Amino acid sequence: MTLSIHAEEYGVSPKGEAVQLFTLTNAQGASASITNYGANLVTLFTPDRQGKMADIVLGYDALDGYFTNVPYLGATIGRVGNRIGKGQCKIDGKTYTFVQNNGTNHLHGGLEGFDKKVWKAETFETETSVGVHLDLLSEDGDQGYPGNLQVRTTYELHNDNELTCEYTATTDKTTILNMTNHSYFNLDLENQKTILEQKLKINAEQVTLLDQDQLPTGECLDVAGTVFDFTESKAIGADIFTDNEQLNIGGGYDINYILSDDSTVLKEAAVVIDEKTGRRLTVKTTEPCIQLYTANFLDGTLSGKGRSFEKHSAFCLEPQHVPDAPNKPMFKSIELKPGDTYNSKMSFAFDTIV
Ligand code: GLA
């Protein structure tokens, strides 16, 4: 096997733009396919302990699934991932209003977030990796956000079975930015209807508590001894059905973990193990937090890749800053100022256990 990049026509966007699908394959035969419609991750084939490749992310059968994509499968999220309360915040002293597409909240960048835009794609190859750069100009006023934002998403599949995803951006006016990737993983998608038996470890000692609108209250909870404690590897389903106010708000895990190491270096945030296939996924990030979401809003009405998307059929581990940070000054700011460069990187490394 050698490194390869395969580009194909994938269809036409609702606005009439031609869309491509890029399949990156590494020297071990693992592959990732990405479309420049929304910079969405469409497939991720990784080996099990016998070396058999299988896709481990939920996705649709064709491009048009991504046009609505209410659950944000595989999506590149921006400008601001997660929720902005009442769809409003102040930037440089001025109040900005964003579409309320989640009750009264603004969610995942609005109705036409980054996952609904056609990005300009350019593939590249190094000695040990293959990748695709995706570039987008999000204009001043896009979805209500200030500033012309030039943003780049780079997916890179490395020979050592690691998929990295890096975001960079610059702006000409102060704006807010909190990008993430919203892939839905199931390490045994072929055989396990839910991820409840897959074991998760998160390197976080605290979560941000939620109000009834799924916005952080501003308070943090120590996870030790609670259903949110994943500091030791534990089945995702071990405590998920506990009658717990914070779990009930999201219908399962849908909460932001504050990483124990919140530095901007790439550090391990979470590890998921599937004992049946032997697959292990290690998530690293430069972000201070990671959202754990156990696909609580999936209800079987959507389908793709030969299966319907059922509740808890996948997990998302979305590196990011604290949700609603623009309205919660106790948390790290997500402002980006002219002259500064936004940079965020995540890594999904996959190997197997014996
Ligand atoms: C995030 C949110 C969830 C939900 C999903 C998309 O993970 O935290 O509440 O909105 O996105 O369905």
Side-chain angles (χ1 to χ4, degrees):
M1 283 267 185
T2 51
L3 286 163
S4 73
I5 303 173
H6 176 75
E8 63 193 282
E9 295 308 316
Y10 195 41
V12 178
S13 78
K15 291 182 183 164
E17 302 137 298
V19 171
Q20 288 85 40
L21 184 72
F22 300 92
T23 302
L24 313 172
T25 306
N26 74 8
Q28 301 200 51
S31 70
S33 63
I34 293 116
T35 172
N36 65 324
Y37 180 83
N40 290 300
L41 179 68
V42 176
T43 65
L44 181 60
F45 282 83
T46 74
D48 68 7
R49 63 159 72 80
Q50 262 87 48
K52 186 172 157 274
M53 295 291 168
D55 196 357
I56 60 161
V57 292
L58 294 187
Y60 303 99
D61 293 327
L63 173 63
D64 59 2
Y66 294 94
F67 296 164
T68 41
N69 193 9
V70 176
Y72 299 90
L73 304 187
T76 292
I77 304 282
R79 291 188 192 186
V80 174
N82 219 307
R83 294 173 174 80
I84 299 180
K86 308 253 181 297
Q88 260 192 9
C89 72
K90 279 197 172 145
I91 304 172
D92 266 357
K94 194 177 155 204
T95 300
Y96 287 85
T97 304
F98 315 105
V99 63
Q100 297 172 329
N101 56 333
N102 173 251
T104 58
N105 302 319
H106 174 77
L107 178 71
H108 292 334
L111 293 175
E112 196 196 285
F114 289 175
D115 62 306
K116 307 269 178 344
K117 314 255 194 207
V118 175
W119 299 57
K120 194 170 158 294
E122 195 190 338
T123 58
F124 64 92
E125 187 167 342
T126 73
E127 273 186 16
T128 55
S129 69
V130 272
V132 58
H133 295 300
L134 298 148
D135 290 299
L136 179 75
L137 172 65
S138 165
E139 287 178 2
D140 191 11
D142 185 12
Q143 310 303 301
Y145 294 102
N148 288 297
L149 184 85
Q150 186 65 53
V151 50
R152 168 170 275 197
T153 294
T154 300
Y155 285 98
E156 189 171 356
L157 181 65
H158 304 260
N159 271 344
D160 59 359
N161 283 350
E162 181 188 21
L163 177 71
T164 53
C165 182
E166 183 165 15
Y167 307 123
T168 55
T170 53
T171 181
D172 61 2
K173 273 188 201 163
T174 302
T175 190
I176 47 177
L177 194 60
N178 184 22
M179 293 179 69
T180 193
N181 180 279
H182 208 299
S183 289
Y184 283 69
F185 297 95
N186 179 336
L187 300 186
D188 189 14
L189 192 57
E190 282 183 343
N191 302 304
Q192 290 175 44
K193 288 207 180 331
T194 73
I195 42 70
L196 298 176
E197 287 179 17
Q198 298 176 19
K199 288 190 170 161
L200 170 66
K201 175 172 168 262
I202 305 182
N203 297 328
E205 275 151 29
Q206 287 194 315
V207 289
T208 53
L209 285 173
L210 297 167
D211 67 16
Q212 294 299 327
D213 290 327
Q214 287 194 269
L215 293 168
T217 61
E219 293 154 304
C220 298
L221 172 79
D222 290 334
V223 295
T226 75
V227 297
F228 297 102
D229 192 348
F230 284 98
T231 51
E232 304 278 335
S233 188
K234 171 176 95 177
I236 295 173
D239 299 321
I240 200 171
F241 299 116
T242 308
D243 185 14
N244 170 284
E245 193 219 347
Q246 288 288 312
L247 273 181
N248 294 344
I249 290 172
Y253 292 100
D254 192 358
I255 202 157
N256 196 260
Y257 282 81
I258 302 177
L259 297 173
S260 307
D261 173 359
D262 70 352
S263 66
T264 54
V265 300
L266 194 67
K267 69 266 174 186
E268 182 185 291
V271 181
V272 189
I273 290 172
D274 174 47
E275 285 172 351
K276 289 192 179 135
T277 59
R279 284 199 182 82
R280 172 164 57 192
L281 172 72
T282 302
V283 183
K284 292 184 185 171
T285 179
T286 58
E287 290 292 309
C289 306
I290 197 160
Q291 177 93 5
L292 169 64
Y293 173 59
T294 45
N296 315 324
F297 297 125
L298 294 183
D299 59 6
T301 51
L302 295 170
S303 59
K305 300 184 182 176
R307 57 184 59 76
S308 53
F309 308 143
E310 305 292 339
K311 186 165 182 169
H312 306 321
S313 59
F315 60 85
C316 302
L317 285 163
E318 311 155 44
Q320 57 191 257
H321 276 56
V322 175
D324 203 28
N327 294 311
K328 302 279 153 58
M330 62 288 269
F331 299 122
K332 283 187 183 173
S333 165
I334 58 165
E335 270 187 8
L336 178 69
K337 294 189 187 306
D340 290 346
T341 300
Y342 173 87
N343 186 266
S344 176
K345 190 169 179 177
M346 70 190 85
S347 147
F348 301 108
F350 31 97
D351 63 357
T352 54
I353 55 159
V354 277

